[in-house]
Amino acid sequence: QVQLVESGGGLVQAGGSLRLSCAVSGRIFSIDAISWYRQSPGKQRDLIATITSDGTTSTAYSVKGRFAISRDDAKNTVYLQMNSLKPEDTAVYYCRADRKVVEFGVTGYWGQGTQVTVSS
């Protein structure tokens, strides 16, 4: 079992910055990658950024140059640094852990999400 807890969301003005945190616990050795997703009401959940177990990162084109994913191995925490925020970035941001191997149909785990609101 893997547990994910997001924090760091809040209200910020356009052009401002936030840093989201995803604290990971449980069977960390079973994780292949940690990703950040976001979802607005009535819209699909979109992949924003990913970091793999070997440290490789990737970022969606829509946030490239503004958002960056990183990790602190000592704290078992993954971060999403968000700069130059826009109202279009308003969403619930979720952390997801993908398993190296699917077990009993379980492909990964979701956190509960943290709300980010960017005012005009």
Side-chain angles (χ1 to χ4, degrees), residues 39-68:
Q39 185 172 26
S40 299
K43 297 183 178 180
Q44 68 177 27
R45 189 170 298 183
D46 293 327
L47 176 64
I48 300 302
T50 298
I51 185 166
T52 64
S53 58
D54 67 357
T56 302
T57 62
S58 61
T59 308
Y61 180 80
S62 61
V63 301
K64 197 176 296 291
R66 300 190 298 121
F67 293 9

Side-chain angles (χ1 to χ4, degrees), residues 8-119:
L11 175 64
V12 64
Q13 289 184 274
S17 298
L18 285 173
R19 188 179 73 166
L20 306 183
S21 298
C22 175
V24 185
S25 61
R27 300 179 182 179
I28 297 174
F29 55 85
S30 70
I31 299 172
D32 181 63
I34 300 290
S35 298
W36 285 99
Y37 290 73
R38 68 185 182 187
Q39 185 172 26
S40 299
K43 297 183 178 180
Q44 68 177 27
R45 189 170 298 183
D46 293 327
L47 176 64
I48 300 302
T50 298
I51 185 166
T52 64
S53 58
D54 67 357
T56 302
T57 62
S58 61
T59 308
Y61 180 80
S62 61
V63 301
K64 197 176 296 291
R66 300 190 298 121
F67 293 9
I69 190 169
S70 62
R71 73 183 185 197
D72 185 333
D73 291 336
K75 296 181 178 180
N76 291 328
T77 300
V78 175
Y79 302 99
L80 183 68
Q81 179 66 47
M82 306 187 295
N83 299 322
S84 301
L85 284 162
K86 305 174 181 179
E88 305 94 278
D89 297 320
T90 295
V92 177
Y93 284 72
Y94 296 91
C95 185
R96 176 179 169 83
D98 287 301
R99 293 180 57 87
K100 294 178 180 178
V101 178
V102 177
E103 187 175 72
F104 300 108
V106 178
T107 61
Y109 308 90
W110 290 101
Q112 293 183 332
T114 185
Q115 176 71 48
V116 172
T117 303
V118 184
S119 62

